[in-house]
Amino acid sequence: MADTVTTIAAQPEPIAIDLARTALVIIDMQRDFLLPGGFGETLGNDVAQLQRVVGPLADLLAAARAADLMVIHTREGHLPDLSDCPPAKLNRGAPSKRIGDPGAFGRILIRGEYGHDIIDELAPMAGEVVIDKPGKGAFYATELAAVLAERGITQLLVTGVTTEVCVHTTTREANDRGFECVVVSDCVGSYFPEFQRVGLEMIAAQGGIFGWTAASGELIAALTDHSATAPSSAAS
Ligand code: C5J
């Protein structure tokens, strides 16, 4: 049987990853957040800050797929009648557009709309799990915990957007549930460069207070080694 455990360089210290018990989690790489003209931009954000993530994340996703890692995509969004969107979220601030309003890509953050779906470069493949979440954290009001338990997953490679909001919330939720989380530093993005830097530092500070951070190159190398040495499923 192939050895599935590999140690990767990470902050605050190296971490041993068992690829057989690890899932790649891709958070909210949705058109509404990433595309020019989308919801994120209507809030005054520079979407180029998030688009930087797409290339490295596409490479990591390809390596994860080649290594047969479990892949989970999440999408933040709501039912068309907004019954799962608390008023406190709906009425927050004074944006020019709100969740559920018509936007450039359909109703903003509404399930089934074009803008709510994942960008073409990272489109889920058949067999990959897609979690629709009404909150910032991927565990809140979703089936994620059950899906991970069923597959015996204990470690998560966390990627996506935005670093200080949904990536942080999901990582903190996962940490509290006993998962070891490696947040992939060049595969997470924030509209705010300062939040990106500090957001990553917060995870690994104090001895890794709620996780590790690592560069995608480290993980891609480990996944590629694993793909090269693992017996193919046809041969096993
Ligand atoms: C936000 C997210 N920022 N996916 N959502 O509202 O981080």
Side-chain angles (χ1 to χ4, degrees):
M1 185 176 158
D3 186 2
T4 57
V5 181
T6 180
T7 298
I8 59 151
Q11 298 296 326
E13 60 189 5
I15 176 170
I17 305 260
D18 184 349
L19 298 173
R21 291 180 165 271
T22 296
L24 173 64
V25 180
I26 304 178
I27 296 179
D28 300 358
M29 292 296 285
Q30 295 162 254
R31 297 184 181 111
D32 273 336
F33 292 123
L34 278 116
L35 293 192
F39 182 46
E41 197 173 75
T42 70
L43 296 177
N45 296 310
D46 173 12
V47 293
Q49 296 293 337
L50 302 195
Q51 286 170 356
R52 275 206 288 243
V53 169
V54 176
L57 184 45
D59 292 343
L60 180 60
L61 176 57
R65 284 172 172 161
D68 265 340
L69 217 67
M70 184 182 199
V71 176
I72 294 172
H73 307 258
T74 74
R75 298 182 295 205
E76 180 178 351
H78 297 277
L79 298 169
D81 66 2
L82 294 172
S83 57
D84 60 350
C85 186
K89 181 175 183 184
L90 194 57
N91 300 325
R92 189 74 48 88
S96 57
K97 299 250 184 225
R98 290 184 193 279
I99 293 169
D101 284 351
F105 306 119
R107 290 182 68 204
I108 289 167
L109 289 186
I110 297 297
R111 294 182 191 173
E113 300 286 346
Y114 181 78
H116 170 264
D117 213 348
I118 293 165
I119 58 171
D120 294 343
E121 295 91 326
L122 302 170
M125 282 178 37
E128 292 176 353
V129 174
V130 180
I131 300 283
D132 280 316
K133 62 185 186 64
K136 304 304 183 192
F139 287 85
Y140 170 67
T142 74
E143 67 279 28
L144 180 57
V147 166
L148 295 174
E150 197 191 354
R151 283 282 293 262
I153 299 294
T154 59
Q155 295 179 305
L156 305 178
L157 308 180
V158 186
T159 66
V161 298
T162 60
T163 306
E164 76 280 13
V165 185
C166 292
V167 169
H168 254 224
T169 307
T170 299
T171 303
R172 290 165 191 250
E173 285 183 328
N175 180 68
D176 283 351
R177 286 166 173 77
F179 294 92
E180 290 184 321
C181 297
V182 180
V183 176
V184 188
S185 51
D186 52 335
C187 293
V188 294
S190 169
Y191 296 117
F192 307 97
E194 182 68 358
F195 292 176
Q196 171 76 0
R197 184 180 67 74
V198 175
L200 288 169
E201 282 180 15
M202 287 168 71
I203 295 162
Q206 304 178 73
I209 191 78
F210 60 96
W212 287 253
T213 61
S216 62
E218 289 295 327
L219 291 156
I220 291 172
L223 291 164
T224 307
D225 272 4
H226 175 67
S227 304
T229 55
S232 76
S233 45
S236 59

